[in-house]
Every structure is written in C-alpha cells, then in structure tokens.
Amino acid sequence: MSKPKHPRTLAETEAQALTRNIRVSPRKLNLVAGLIRNKPASQAVAILTFSKRRIAHDVKKTLESAIANAENNHQLDVDQLVVVRAEVGKSIVMRRFHARGRGRSARIEKFFSHLKIVVAERAAEAETTEQKAA
C-alpha cells in the first residue's frame, strides 16, 4: 500500500518547470525574470535569446522546459502559451573568507537562487481576467 497521490496544485491548463540552486543572486535573477512575466512564450524565448545578461541562458532553458512539459505532459497548444508566473526564491548562501590587512578577515557571500516558471494557455488566461473584472 502506498501513500495517496499528491493533489495537483496547478490548473489543468498550466504547466511548470523548476530550477534549483542557480549560482546567481535572487536580485539579479529577478531582473531577468521580470522581462518575461506576462509575455507570450515565443516572445519570452526571443527576449532571453538576445539578452546580454549571463543568467538569461539558464532562464531560457527553464522556460523551454516548461513549454515542453506543457506540450508533452499536459497536451497544451504551444502557440497559445503565456508565461503566467516567473517566481524567484532564495536558496543557500555559500560563505567564503577573504584575507585583509593586519591579520583580519572579511566574509564573501555567494548567493544561490531558485526559479519557477509557470506557463498557461492564453484562452484560459483571458477567462480569468474576465472573471476578475466582473
């Protein structure tokens, strides 16, 4: 006998992808994630492709994974996908030491982040905005 299945937290028209422990601070990652929020998936991929930020490549891989999950696991139409959420979270902080003058030391903190991208079909997105307006 096994445990009962965990209930699905997303709607039927949504798919997500997670990337954990990305070696960039959450503040920098959130700047790139802000570029793609509420954009069509194809436009978001184009934005990330031509972004000059180093971390845009990892964000693009996560977005493409979310799009593939939507297509293969949930049979959603790729042309209708919109980036509904791009959440950035704090992860571990790696602490290093830096020798200073007169025998002292200073701490260097290297931040890590989590990234969660949720995509949904555009038709479902339009219905939810109509319900909020009513």
Side-chain angles (χ1 to χ4, degrees):
M1 195 158 104
S2 62
K3 294 192 313 185
K5 275 191 164 182
H6 191 278
R8 183 167 153 79
T9 57
L10 297 174
E12 292 298 320
T13 59
E14 292 181 341
Q16 74 175 6
L18 285 168
T19 304
R20 296 191 178 275
N21 297 326
I22 305 171
R23 178 58 193 92
V24 68
S25 71
R27 289 178 67 177
K28 292 178 185 177
L29 183 59
N30 197 31
L31 290 173
V32 177
L35 294 174
I36 64 170
R37 284 189 186 107
N38 301 318
K39 297 264 188 339
S42 58
Q43 184 181 352
V45 169
I47 289 170
L48 293 172
T49 301
F50 297 106
S51 175
K52 289 186 177 182
R53 300 236 176 213
R54 172 188 66 87
I55 201 61
H57 177 70
D58 292 338
V59 176
K60 181 182 170 192
K61 282 174 62 174
T62 306
L63 176 60
E64 288 172 343
S65 176
I67 293 169
N69 290 342
E71 182 180 12
N72 297 320
N73 300 345
H74 306 293
Q75 287 73 41
L76 301 179
D77 185 16
V78 177
D79 298 327
Q80 301 296 317
L81 290 180
V82 174
V83 179
V84 178
R85 289 195 305 269
E87 299 173 2
V88 176
K90 245 172 93 168
S91 181
I92 63 170
V93 179
M94 194 166 51
R95 293 188 170 89
R96 294 293 181 257
F97 124 103
H98 185 207
R100 306 299 299 191
R102 302 172 77 181
R104 289 183 304 219
S105 66
R107 191 161 68 181
I108 296 175
E109 294 181 331
K110 301 183 179 220
F111 295 96
F112 285 72
S113 308
H114 297 317
L115 176 64
K116 177 180 181 180
I117 295 180
V118 179
V119 294
E121 280 189 332
R122 182 178 291 134
E125 184 70 23
E127 291 172 4
T128 56
T129 54
E130 290 173 2
Q131 291 173 356
K132 289 178 185 177

